[in-house]
Amino acid sequence: MEKKTDWTQYYNSPYKTASITRKITGQILIKTIKKYIGNTKNLSLIELGGANSAFLELLINAFRPKEYIIVDNNQAGLDKTKSRITKDNNVSVLNIDILKKDILKRGIQKQVDLVLSTGLIEHFDKTGTQKVIKAHFELLKPKGIAVMTFPTPTILYKITRYAAEVLGVWIFHDERPLLIKEVLKTAKIYGHIKEFKIIWPIFLTQGLVVFQKK
């Protein structure tokens, strides 16, 4: 059986390079969201797999969302999130397994303008990835925006990951770098693709894809 990523360990001891890569990815995320959600006033958003979110403060400062829901099933990471927020941030956290059916009936009351995930959909087998992509759209209002980032297997990614594995510092054991065609196969059922690009400067290259719900 494939070894699973220990998320509690990761939240307690993130990679030392994470602060640099998060700055790069974070600025691209903010620019992308502004591009596709013209009026961000009164923005409602859900971050899937967002325990101890790398972009919590960045998103709050950029958009001042009226509602920001973080969904994850790692309680240690969610507790760390709680320690970073105040009441006027309008942030709530929910411990929910997004692989289970009817996510809208399990604590989330209504659909939102934006559903975001960063480095989530690649931590499942193909069937699990399909379920998680579908969940993004279930939580969106009609014409809402889904933004997903995921590692994609460029030569740069393969070299960087191989080096990390040889050095014994690779901890994302169940990470499957995804080609855009795998993501599109499911997402195009529920939404229209607006943009796809690769974030190159972070070495473990990430695909960033934007969809608008049908």
Side-chain angles (χ1 to χ4, degrees), residues 139-150:
L139 296 169
L140 276 177
K141 296 176 181 177
K143 296 189 177 181
I145 296 296
V147 179
M148 294 172 254
T149 74
F150 51 89

Side-chain angles (χ1 to χ4, degrees), residues 10 13-22 169 171:
Y10 173 71
S13 303
Y15 275 1
K16 292 180 180 180
T17 57
S19 61
I20 298 171
T21 59
R22 287 172 180 175
V169 297
I171 64 171

Side-chain angles (χ1 to χ4, degrees), residues 155-165 170 202-204:
I155 293 297
L156 182 57
Y157 172 92
K158 292 176 181 178
I159 292 171
T160 305
R161 176 166 175 171
Y162 177 75
E165 290 174 337
W170 184 256
I202 60 177
F203 292 92
L204 287 165

